[in-house]
Amino acid sequence: MKIDLSVLKTVEREREISSDDLIRIIEQAILQAHVRSGEKHDATAPQPRVEVDRKTGEVTLYEPELDEDGNRIGESIATTDDFSRIAATAAKQVIFQALRDKSDESVLGAYKDREGDIIAGVVQQGTNPRMVHVKLGDDMEALLPPEEQVPGAEYKHGQRLRVYITKVERGQRGPQVTVSRTHPSLVRRLFALEVPEIASGAVEIVAIAREAGHRSKIAVRATQPGINAKGACIGELGARVRAVQAELGDEKIDIVDFSEDLPAFVASALSPARVSDAFMLDEKTKAVRALVPDFQLSLAIGREGQNARLAAKLTGAKIDIQPDSVMED
């Protein structure tokens, strides 16, 4: 049997795997396949060997010749139709696997570098209705698992959307990319696309609190003088923040000014409610009391406590919201 060396040269050129390495792998694979095909195999007995001629591609099986005591005294060439069939099958499998492994490495490398970044994709129909497939390119289909999907959102076949790459790993069927639509950093990356000041570092997103599909709060500050961080993120007539909201399915976004002074930060974080006053109750536990006009108490707390919950998450403070009238009492 002969192996077509031109095929190995093609693999070497296109996949950057040396033909010598491929031949060594093929020799080992053919030998293992031959040994497994035998009725009995004694691992302690002298073993045969397989050699592929580097010039002609001819595959030869050398069987050990033994004396009466079972010691190797030489070797002879064994050629059978059965061996040729085994050799051909093993060689094809090795070449196919080498091509697949190299392709997998290339894909893994391309997407591993993008872990923690966002990427555009197209929703595909999958066999599992709860698992959404997102086609990222010609060579990759990512998984959007149920826990990374926005509650209540629909993902229709052919829909274009941006996703956040959370994990890139080698799966049982090759490279596997897991993406998210709920990750807070999706909001961060979308603003970096829409706001040049964030991309350049002139404006920094200090903290994000998000309940995907409902509301996000982001705290921003300028790193350069003369820049209005909040205004840069909102954009002219709100164009920039609206673009991010549209990508997130019209999720509400509050942009607030970050402050090193925790009560001041809490006051900003409770937006859209207006805070009359905020002061520290306990520095150790970061407990802050925020006073709001009586008619804005429900707005400050939010529906089912969402606004207060997100403000606490954004600032890291324990927030006690009280109406102004409590001071009169």
Side-chain angles (χ1 to χ4, degrees):
M1 173 205 161
K2 282 188 177 182
I3 291 175
D4 189 347
L5 295 181
S6 64
V7 173
L8 301 189
K9 290 296 183 184
T10 300
V11 174
E12 180 179 41
R13 183 174 61 255
E14 294 182 356
R15 305 292 181 173
E16 297 179 357
I17 306 174
S18 78
S19 56
D20 280 343
D21 287 344
L22 270 176
I23 287 175
R24 281 193 291 270
I25 297 170
I26 289 170
E27 288 173 341
Q28 188 63 28
I30 292 173
L31 179 59
Q32 289 176 351
H34 170 69
V35 170
R36 284 197 302 268
S37 69
E39 294 183 4
K40 293 181 180 180
H41 173 58
D42 183 1
T44 63
Q47 300 299 304
R49 67 183 180 90
V50 171
E51 185 178 280
V52 177
D53 191 294
R54 266 63 172 172
K55 293 182 178 179
T56 65
E58 188 70 39
V59 180
T60 306
L61 171 66
Y62 294 94
E63 292 280 6
E65 292 182 346
L66 311 178
D67 61 16
E68 294 179 356
D69 296 325
N71 298 315
R72 182 194 289 265
I73 58 175
E75 58 186 12
S76 59
I77 296 176
T79 54
T80 64
D81 291 338
D82 191 46
F83 170 71
S84 296
R85 177 184 57 79
I86 292 170
T89 302
K92 287 178 182 178
Q93 288 175 343
V94 168
I95 294 172
F96 175 77
Q97 190 61 46
L99 289 171
R100 181 177 176 180
D101 287 347
K102 190 63 179 178
S103 178
D104 287 355
E105 287 297 329
S106 176
V107 173
L108 273 172
Y111 288 96
K112 192 70 177 176
D113 291 341
R114 299 203 64 178
E115 234 177 41
D117 199 358
I118 62 172
I119 190 170
V122 180
V123 175
Q124 305 292 299
Q125 289 179 337
T127 55
N128 184 343
R130 297 182 69 244
M131 183 72 75
V132 176
H133 295 252
V134 181
K135 190 172 184 181
L136 303 182
D138 295 336
D139 55 355
M140 178 53 64
E141 196 170 272
L143 298 179
L144 180 64
E147 64 272 17
E148 300 293 351
Q149 299 171 24
V150 175
E154 290 186 15
Y155 298 97
K156 299 178 181 179
H157 180 76
Q159 176 186 350
R160 295 190 64 84
L161 76 174
R162 287 190 174 99
V163 291
Y164 180 80
I165 300 176
T166 60
K167 186 166 56 176
V168 179
E169 59 188 347
R170 186 185 295 279
Q172 293 182 345
R173 298 183 179 180
Q176 183 173 303
V177 177
T178 304
V179 296
S180 173
R181 284 283 291 176
T182 63
H183 202 287
S185 289
L186 175 62
V187 179
R188 184 187 300 274
R189 294 293 186 177
L190 288 173
F191 268 102
L193 288 178
E194 297 295 334
V195 183
E197 291 86 348
I198 291 178
S200 69
V203 171
E204 177 188 5
I205 296 178
V206 181
I208 298 176
R210 186 184 185 203
E211 291 187 3
H214 300 286
R215 195 178 210 101
S216 288
K217 287 181 181 288
I218 69 168
V220 298
R221 66 178 171 191
T223 61
Q224 297 177 11
I227 293 179
N228 181 339
K230 187 175 173 180
C233 293
I234 294 172
E236 188 175 355
L237 301 177
R240 291 174 176 176
V241 69
R242 281 204 308 271
V244 176
Q245 286 177 312
E247 177 62 42
L248 297 176
D250 292 327
E251 181 177 311
K252 292 181 175 64
I253 299 176
D254 298 328
I255 303 170
V256 305
D257 290 313
F258 172 78
S259 174
E260 296 287 355
D261 180 70
L262 188 57
F265 188 17
V266 167
S268 294
L270 285 171
S271 173
R274 180 171 59 85
V275 176
S276 305
D277 192 14
F279 51 88
M280 190 76 73
L281 292 177
D282 188 332
E283 289 190 7
K284 281 189 176 180
T285 60
K286 294 185 176 180
V288 176
R289 173 163 291 173
L291 299 176
V292 300
D294 289 43
F295 69 91
Q296 290 214 338
L297 181 60
S298 60
L299 181 63
I301 295 171
R303 186 176 182 181
E304 298 179 351
Q306 184 187 71
N307 194 58
R309 189 167 57 248
L310 285 172
K313 189 175 181 181
L314 186 74
T315 61
K318 293 181 179 179
I319 305 175
D320 176 35
I321 303 174
Q322 297 290 342
D324 284 338
S325 58
V326 75
M327 300 303 290
E328 298 172 9
D329 296 337

